[in-house]
Amino acid sequence: MVSVKDDLKQQEISQAVIVADNFNRKFAPLTNSQPLFLLPVVNGTFMDYLLQSLEDAGIQETFIFCCLHNNLIRNYINSSHWSNKDAPMSVTVISDSGFLSMGDIMRALDAKALIRSDFILINGAIITTFPLNDILEEHRKCRQTDKNSAITLLYRKASPKHKTKCKEHLFLIAVESESNRIRYYQRINKAKTAHIPLEVFQENDEVTVHYNLLDSFISICSPCVPLLFSDNFDYQSMDDFVRGLLVNEELLGNSMYIHIAEAGYGANISNLYMYDVVSQDIMSRWAHPIVPDLMESHGCTFSHSEHNIYKQPGVEVGRNCQLKQNVVIGKGTTIGDNTFVENSVIGRNCDIGENAVIKGSYIWNDTSVGNGCNLNMCLLGEKVKLWKNVQINAGCILGSEVVIDENIVVPPLTRLQSEVFVDEDSFGEDDFDDDHKSDQDKTCDFNVVGKKGHGYVCKISVECDEEDEGVIEDVWGKATDESIEDDDEESESSSSEILSPGEAVSDESEGGGYDDETNQFYNEVLESLQRGIEEKVNSENTILEINASKHAYNITIKEVNTLLIKALLKLPLESGQVSTPQQYLSSIKPSLQFFHALVSKYIRSAESQLDCLTSIEDFMKSNEDIAPALIKVIHFWYDKELLKEPVIIKWFKDLSPESDKVRKQATTFITWLQTADEESSEDEVSSED
């Protein structure tokens, strides 16, 4: 005989709630006309991957809450197999123009009384292979021992510098070591220190503090969670909820726990940087079984060949094409002769011309790329057309139907759209569809797209509220100043993992001792400096180029410092007409002055100054004929306060026996430096007397 309790347990079904809005415009202009969850990722959409993961986890009922473009999401679900009556998982779309935050959605969930048991809450465009059903069962067992357990937050371990760990999502959390119950939570952002209350340690026998966790934005919630949001209208985000429950723990009595996943992949594509990271992970098979050859796309599967080259039937590749590694090509696409493709996704029915170079880029369906085009770390929406010899630089986003005229160079981080949209702080569908319509009479930005081009620069207002203030966001194709500082701080600890500057370059081999990618980075830096001095390019643009190459080739900041100085010192020798110290000094002076602002962006900390001096030292060893002039370079940077006296003295004292010739050349300057310092000290004493 089945008891009433067992009967009720059998009636429990596994439920999931998806928050299908990101409530910002970080993906604009791509999300101007379609929802984030329907954007393509490699060979599927966010929605495909997420719903399939939930179905594989045994979830029986899923609710999708959305605001923008809800009709497109509803149509997509209605045309999918999840709309079939015999589908193993039912999917229901719930939309409202009033859904302006996750808090609004949770309150609507409570009002509709849809939740019947513990459920999975997914807040964002998540790609995951976590065993969600097992984690759900673990939460249910936890509730049997702690009736007040409200939520279990799902994390996985990742080092602070792990590529899938966004700067905007950094946090610190303290938990009871035995039970993983949360006792303290703090978002880090720009904070250099964290202040954990003393009572956290006094009231618990053993506490574990985590800074090495990656937020999956997946939570296992008890049925009381929607009600808690309804009772607290100031809860707008999950951070608000966690902090609120911790502050009111004694009053409300609710507890929270964490689960650290030991297996599986999970990442939240919260911005374009993460879009790139996750796409590369999928192609590199880090997210297995989420890989192109195991998932059908538009009725076709992908073949998988060496170096992770994925192709659908009907792909035509021209002669002498190089598909180097991590390349996905959709059906009906043609690629012209002598084209190079690497770490890129090309959609269906695309036409790629001859002699094109495509690196780290994403080209969506029905796009045309002309002969001789160069695409580097960019994204082209559907039906984009590039005429011949177009160069799209790092971080550029071209919305659907944008046209770029021939021989145009699109600056880094440019966003273009085919229509003008007003960036308003509104997420209602009616507002978006009506008030954001383009003004067809507005003139295109021809200075960016060319005379035969079509497109408008997409300008996104910076939304900075109390929650997001101080966030350092990862920007695709750009390293922020803060990230340079962070890398400087860690360079000492990571120096043992990279080659010493002395191994970097020699006259016979530019970059000898480094791998091919580092050599390519050095050559690109050298070319950027040459072009900068010849064309008087603004230093900020050159910095963007260097940072884009840094990310493209995964170069450490220590290597950037070393190879940048090496390339700068190499400039006068490229002409082949410099053979004496006097000639070298005359030739290098204009470059030192022109690139001073650029160099000062990288050479700031004591560690980076040592990188600079070590690079000069190695250059002197391989170019002894001009060594006296290189000491003048050190003197120049000392006068400009780029190199500090204590750092120079330390470098000189630490010179190895192999650098005796360098020591001899530098002795006169070091003696002058120390004498000048002593005289300055004596003058100060005299003035005091």
Side-chain angles (χ1 to χ4, degrees):
M1 182 176 178
V2 179
S3 66
V4 174
K5 183 176 180 180
D6 291 338
D7 184 52
L8 290 174
K9 187 174 182 180
Q10 290 175 5
Q11 293 178 18
E12 282 188 357
I13 64 172
S14 299
Q15 295 177 297
V17 173
I18 299 174
V19 179
D21 271 311
N22 57 345
F23 309 112
N24 59 55
R25 283 175 53 79
K26 291 180 180 179
F27 281 84
L30 303 174
T31 51
N32 285 349
S33 58
Q34 58 182 326
L36 170 65
F37 272 63
L38 295 186
L39 297 183
V41 183
V42 188
N43 64 316
T45 67
F46 292 104
M47 192 68 76
D48 291 331
Y49 293 125
L50 186 51
L51 291 180
Q52 189 61 54
S53 296
L54 292 174
E55 184 179 294
D56 292 343
I59 302 303
Q60 299 163 283
E61 188 175 35
T62 295
F63 301 101
I64 300 175
F65 284 80
C66 57
C67 173
L68 288 180
H69 312 299
N70 57 72
N71 58 320
L72 297 179
I73 293 179
R74 186 174 283 105
N75 292 340
Y76 186 86
I77 296 300
N78 290 339
S79 62
S80 70
H81 76 273
W82 287 294
S83 63
N84 298 336
K85 292 183 179 180
D86 58 348
M89 179 178 71
S90 68
V91 179
T92 304
V93 178
I94 301 172
S95 61
D96 193 297
S97 60
F99 293 160
L100 305 182
S101 69
M102 194 192 79
D104 293 334
I105 289 174
M106 296 304 290
R107 284 182 276 274
L109 185 64
D110 179 50
K112 294 178 182 295
L114 297 172
I115 297 302
R116 287 175 274 177
S117 63
D118 300 309
F119 66 98
I120 298 174
L121 174 63
I122 296 178
N123 182 24
I126 312 298
I127 303 293
T128 181
T129 62
F130 291 139
L132 297 177
N133 199 43
D134 294 343
I135 300 170
L136 178 60
E137 285 301 319
E138 181 182 308
H139 173 79
R140 287 170 175 165
K141 291 179 181 178
C142 178
R143 286 189 63 205
Q144 292 177 1
T145 57
D146 181 0
K147 301 296 184 183
N148 294 321
S149 173
I151 193 170
T152 298
L153 305 178
L154 177 55
Y155 300 118
R156 68 182 176 97
K157 289 185 178 180
S159 64
K161 295 295 180 179
H162 194 274
K163 61 183 179 180
T164 58
K165 196 167 188 179
C166 269
K167 293 182 177 67
E168 62 185 274
H169 298 147
L170 297 180
F171 66 94
L172 179 144
I173 193 167
V175 300
E176 293 181 14
S177 299
E178 184 175 351
S179 65
N180 273 342
R181 181 174 177 175
I182 300 174
R183 290 302 185 183
Y184 179 78
Y185 175 88
Q186 177 186 339
R187 285 188 66 182
I188 298 299
N189 298 343
K190 283 187 176 181
K192 298 295 184 182
T193 59
H195 302 281
I196 304 176
L198 182 60
E199 53 265 26
V200 171
F201 300 96
Q202 292 175 331
E203 296 173 359
N204 300 280
D205 294 334
E206 186 175 344
V207 174
T208 301
V209 179
H210 292 283
Y211 181 62
N212 62 335
L213 298 181
L214 176 69
D215 192 349
S216 69
F217 290 83
I218 301 174
S219 308
I220 312 299
C221 301
S222 302
C224 66
V225 169
L227 178 60
L228 288 169
F229 272 91
S230 294
D231 291 341
N232 298 272
F233 272 83
D234 56 333
Y235 292 174
Q236 297 298 327
S237 66
M238 184 55 72
D239 279 351
D240 293 337
F241 179 80
V242 172
R243 286 196 298 261
L245 259 60
L246 286 173
V247 170
N248 300 305
E249 188 172 11
E250 293 184 4
L251 178 64
L252 299 177
N254 298 110
S255 54
M256 298 177 291
Y257 294 83
I258 68 170
H259 174 90
I260 302 176
E262 299 293 337
Y265 180 88
N268 176 29
I269 305 181
S270 58
N271 54 33
L272 288 159
Y273 167 80
M274 286 302 298
Y275 179 92
D276 175 54
V277 168
V278 173
S279 297
Q280 296 297 327
D281 280 351
I282 291 174
M283 289 189 286
S284 301
R285 308 183 78 79
W286 286 108
H288 193 278
I290 299 178
V291 289
D293 53 304
L294 294 183
M295 297 189 69
E296 187 175 285
S297 176
H298 295 270
C300 295
T301 56
F302 283 82
S303 63
H304 176 222
S305 57
E306 190 178 9
H307 304 303
N308 294 328
I309 307 299
Y310 306 90
K311 291 188 290 186
Q312 282 186 319
V315 172
E316 297 182 11
V317 179
R319 293 174 299 175
N320 299 320
C321 277
Q322 294 186 57
L323 306 181
K324 188 171 182 181
Q325 64 178 4
N326 294 343
V327 176
V328 175
I329 308 175
K331 66 179 180 179
T333 289
T334 60
I335 301 179
D337 298 342
N338 303 308
T339 288
F340 178 91
V341 185
E342 178 183 30
N343 298 325
S344 299
V345 177
I346 302 176
R348 302 186 307 279
N349 303 316
C350 293
D351 183 15
I352 311 299
E354 300 176 354
N355 302 304
V357 176
I358 302 173
K359 296 181 179 180
S361 299
Y362 303 90
I363 302 173
W364 292 358
N365 301 335
D366 304 306
T367 287
S368 174
V369 176
N371 296 338
C373 288
N374 191 322
L375 280 60
N376 180 35
M377 292 184 70
C378 60
L379 193 155
L380 310 185
E382 294 186 351
K383 299 180 180 179
V384 168
K385 181 175 180 59
L386 306 183
W387 292 91
K388 66 179 182 179
N389 300 324
V390 172
Q391 180 176 331
I392 309 294
N393 284 303
C396 289
I397 311 297
L398 275 59
S400 61
E401 300 183 4
V402 167
V403 179
I404 306 295
D405 197 2
E406 61 186 37
N407 301 316
I408 292 294
V409 177
V410 181
L413 303 176
T414 300
R415 298 192 185 202
L416 296 172
Q417 54 197 359
S418 59
E419 296 181 346
V420 180
F421 284 80
V422 180
D423 183 14
E424 296 180 356
D425 188 17
S426 172
F427 295 97
E429 182 186 19
D430 295 337
D431 292 338
F432 193 85
D433 288 342
D434 294 333
D435 296 342
H436 292 240
K437 287 293 184 182
S438 65
D439 179 4
Q440 299 295 342
D441 296 331
K442 179 178 172 63
T443 304
C444 289
D445 291 309
F446 292 117
N447 59 322
V448 179
V449 300
K451 292 182 179 180
K452 293 191 296 183
H454 176 79
Y456 308 85
V457 174
C458 176
K459 297 180 180 179
I460 303 174
S461 63
V462 179
E463 301 168 2
C464 184
D465 55 19
E466 184 179 353
E467 179 68 25
D468 293 327
E469 187 175 0
V471 170
I472 308 172
E473 182 183 346
D474 289 294
V475 180
W476 186 31
K478 177 183 178 182
T480 61
D481 291 342
E482 290 85 357
S483 67
I484 291 176
E485 291 174 355
D486 291 343
D487 285 336
D488 273 337
E489 291 171 2
E490 71 161 355
S491 60
E492 182 176 356
S493 63
S494 63
S495 60
S496 62
E497 301 175 5
I498 62 176
L499 299 174
S500 66
E503 297 175 88
V505 280
S506 65
D507 281 348
E508 294 77 21
S509 173
E510 298 298 340
Y514 274 113
D515 57 29
D516 290 342
E517 289 195 345
T518 308
N519 292 336
Q520 290 175 358
F521 169 78
Y522 168 77
N523 291 331
E524 288 190 9
V525 171
L526 185 60
E527 290 173 3
S528 294
L529 296 182
Q530 288 173 324
R531 184 169 58 255
I533 197 74
E534 291 170 2
E535 302 176 8
K536 304 301 179 185
V537 177
N538 186 285
S539 290
E540 291 298 325
N541 292 336
T542 307
I543 290 170
L544 288 175
E545 290 182 12
I546 293 173
N547 289 340
S549 298
K550 171 184 180 290
H551 286 287
Y553 297 115
N554 197 26
I555 304 299
T556 67
I557 191 64
K558 189 178 185 72
E559 291 171 310
V560 172
N561 296 337
T562 300
L563 297 178
L564 171 63
I565 299 302
K566 166 63 184 178
L568 181 56
L569 298 177
K570 183 73 173 177
L571 283 178
L573 304 182
E574 290 295 283
S575 64
Q577 300 177 355
V578 173
S579 58
T580 67
Q582 292 76 18
Q583 291 174 336
Y584 181 85
L585 195 59
S586 298
S587 182
I588 192 71
K589 275 186 176 179
S591 298
L592 293 177
Q593 293 168 345
F594 183 80
F595 288 118
H596 180 69
L598 182 149
V599 174
S600 62
K601 277 287 187 179
Y602 294 92
I603 309 303
R604 294 187 290 185
S605 67
E607 184 72 22
S608 61
Q609 292 176 52
L610 283 174
D611 293 339
C612 174
L613 288 164
T614 306
S615 187
I616 297 173
E617 173 190 343
D618 291 318
F619 196 81
M620 290 175 68
K621 290 179 184 178
S622 56
N623 297 275
E624 295 180 1
D625 293 342
I626 59 171
L630 294 169
I631 298 300
K632 296 289 186 181
V633 172
I634 297 177
H635 198 157
F636 174 85
W637 277 333
Y638 168 75
D639 289 340
K640 292 290 186 179
E641 298 185 348
L642 186 77
L643 297 176
K644 305 297 183 182
E645 180 183 338
V647 179
I648 297 174
I649 299 298
K650 173 177 171 52
W651 163 75
F652 181 78
K653 289 181 178 179
D654 292 344
L655 286 173
S656 65
E658 290 80 10
S659 299
D660 277 346
K661 292 184 179 180
V662 176
R663 183 186 299 276
K664 290 178 182 178
Q665 292 289 346
T667 297
T668 302
F669 170 66
I670 297 298
T671 302
W672 171 85
L673 196 63
Q674 293 173 324
T675 303
D677 184 53
E678 291 172 359
E679 291 176 353
S680 176
S681 299
E682 290 174 1
D683 291 342
E684 290 178 3
V685 172
S686 300
S687 62
E688 290 176 1
D689 294 340

